[in-house]
Amino acid sequence: MKYFAELKAAGKLWIDSVALTLSMILERVATPHRVAFVEQDDGAFRVQTAAAAPNTIPPIRIADAHIVGELPPVLAPLIKGSRAELVLQPKRFLFRPLELPRRAGEFLDGIVRAQIDRLTPWSVQDAVFGCTPPTDIANDRIALIVAATARAAVAPYMEAFAALGAQSLSVSTPFATPDAEAVPIRIVEQTGGAAGNLPRLRHALLTALLITATLTSIIIATTAIVGSLLQHAQDEVQNRINAQRVAMRAGREVPGVMTTAQRALFTRKRETPSSVIMLEALSRVLPDNTYLTELRLAGDKLQIVGMTRNAPALIPLIEQSTHFAHATFFAPTTQAASDPRERFHIETRVQPVFTPGT
């Protein structure tokens, strides 16, 4: 049980890590548009956005973590999925100067956090705070201004804008120095992208893993079934081949026992004349002064064309052989004026005799 609990915890940690990584990638790729809400002296918030001309959207007010009155219709789609920046009046914050060694600039956030109890009336858990960029002063030291206020004083504004669908929300306040322009101090930043997308991404990953596992199981089961069917068919074919081999071997080993195929082959061999034996027998019966120019064998019919000194004498010579029967001329015998030999055309039937003797 302990092993399964550890495996489950490791799987959950892996899914959370992958979901967080994907959420951060999506947040970086999809850059939300910026909408700034600047608090005025009367407590209303003026809307600043690149999607609308300045002062075209009426100011809004917030009370008890809700927008007072109806939200302007043009503002709702601008806030949803945006990077909302809430700029509060400096009068809401307590400002304290802080001097530190120059090397403390590498650990500025932790040092300021540790000094909140001393610099402000709030504990670090109950306060939200930020600081200006450090400036160099004498004696190898740096100076900065810390701005802080109670977390409960900022929470209603953050809840109101988060409820409108902002992807991320930051709270800042301007700090005006005597000899320079106002410096914005980032107090708190709340990102809804990575954290808000985690449950949906975790659910999507679990669903994808379940679908993948199901499809893999189906594929494995299908492969096993199809493989079993193919193996069965292959075994059946092999058994048939082995049975045919045994039957053929048994037919050869038993004297006097012939299969249908063997009998058919034997009958065809017995009824079909042998071309080699026919040529051997023909060469034996023809005289030495006779030679052939054409020889055609179709089934049991043989036609020969050639030259000889006495064509009619070839008929009895051919019929004397046991391999030929019914020899006749199938075309007239001719003789050239300058050649004493005769050109003959003889047709005969070939007998299926399998000995070369005459």
Side-chain angles (χ1 to χ4, degrees):
M1 295 297 294
K2 181 179 179 182
Y3 172 77
F4 288 107
E6 293 178 353
L7 186 62
K8 181 179 179 181
K12 184 177 182 299
L13 180 61
W14 179 82
I15 291 175
D16 290 342
S17 301
V18 174
L20 181 60
T21 302
L22 290 176
S23 179
M24 294 174 64
I25 293 174
L26 291 175
E27 185 178 354
R28 289 184 180 182
V29 172
T31 304
H33 55 279
R34 172 182 174 275
V35 181
F37 299 90
V38 182
E39 186 181 18
Q40 306 301 301
D41 294 335
D42 59 354
F45 288 88
R46 188 178 73 251
V47 182
Q48 297 178 351
T49 176
N55 301 322
T56 57
I57 302 177
I60 61 175
R61 294 182 178 274
I62 298 176
D64 299 328
H66 292 88
I67 303 296
V68 178
E70 294 185 0
L71 189 69
V74 70
L75 191 57
L78 292 178
I79 298 178
K80 189 173 181 60
S82 67
R83 187 176 72 247
E85 298 180 2
L86 186 62
V87 182
L88 298 179
Q89 285 285 333
K91 62 184 180 182
R92 296 182 178 273
F93 295 88
L94 179 67
F95 295 93
R96 289 288 185 268
L98 183 63
E99 293 186 7
L100 298 169
R102 187 188 303 273
R103 297 188 60 181
E106 301 177 3
F107 316 99
L108 198 58
D109 184 73
I111 294 175
V112 172
R113 181 181 297 274
Q115 297 285 334
I116 289 297
D117 292 339
R118 184 179 65 85
L119 297 174
T120 69
W122 308 287
S123 65
V124 67
Q125 292 81 13
D126 298 331
V128 289
F129 55 89
C131 62
T132 61
T135 57
D136 295 332
I137 57 176
N139 299 324
D140 198 24
R141 298 177 68 82
I142 57 176
L144 55 119
I145 301 297
V146 177
T149 188
R151 186 180 298 273
V154 177
Y157 301 102
M158 299 182 66
E159 293 176 7
F161 286 102
L164 296 177
Q167 180 175 342
S168 63
L169 178 64
S170 65
V171 177
S172 64
T173 187
F175 174 74
T177 59
D179 54 350
E181 297 181 356
V183 179
I185 300 178
R186 182 66 57 87
I187 303 300
V188 65
E189 185 169 358
Q190 176 179 303
T191 302
N197 288 334
L198 276 179
R200 293 193 298 272
L201 289 175
R202 188 184 298 112
H203 179 72
L205 284 174
L206 287 174
T207 303
L209 288 176
L210 289 176
I211 293 175
T212 303
T214 303
L215 291 178
T216 303
S217 302
I218 293 175
I219 292 174
I220 293 175
T222 304
T223 303
I225 295 173
V226 173
S228 177
L229 293 175
L230 291 176
Q231 185 64 38
H232 178 72
Q234 183 178 359
D235 294 341
E236 186 176 355
V237 171
Q238 188 63 40
N239 292 335
R240 291 181 180 178
I241 293 175
N242 293 336
Q244 291 291 337
R245 288 177 178 174
V246 171
M248 293 175 65
R249 193 178 295 114
R252 289 198 303 267
E253 293 175 354
V254 178
V257 178
M258 298 179 63
T259 63
T260 303
Q262 289 175 333
R263 284 195 297 270
L265 290 174
F266 182 77
T267 301
R268 183 177 178 183
K269 178 181 177 181
R270 184 179 58 191
E271 295 178 354
T272 303
S274 173
S275 301
V276 177
I277 295 177
M278 178 270 299
L279 291 174
E280 177 67 19
L282 191 62
S283 66
R284 288 176 179 272
V285 300
L286 293 178
D288 294 338
N289 58 8
T290 302
Y291 66 90
L292 302 180
T293 59
E294 296 182 28
L295 186 146
R296 294 187 291 271
L297 179 63
D300 62 346
K301 184 182 293 186
L302 174 66
Q303 290 182 347
I304 57 176
V305 179
M307 305 294 291
T308 186
R309 292 186 179 276
N310 186 3
L314 296 179
I315 298 298
L317 291 177
I318 293 174
E319 289 187 342
Q320 287 177 4
S321 175
T322 57
H323 298 277
F324 308 105
H326 307 293
T328 59
F329 292 101
F330 67 88
T333 301
T334 59
Q335 183 178 8
S338 59
D339 192 349
R341 293 173 299 182
E342 299 174 340
R343 183 176 181 83
F344 63 89
H345 303 76
I346 298 177
E347 180 180 277
T348 182
R349 293 189 176 277
V350 182
Q351 303 291 336
V353 180
F354 297 98
T355 56
T358 59

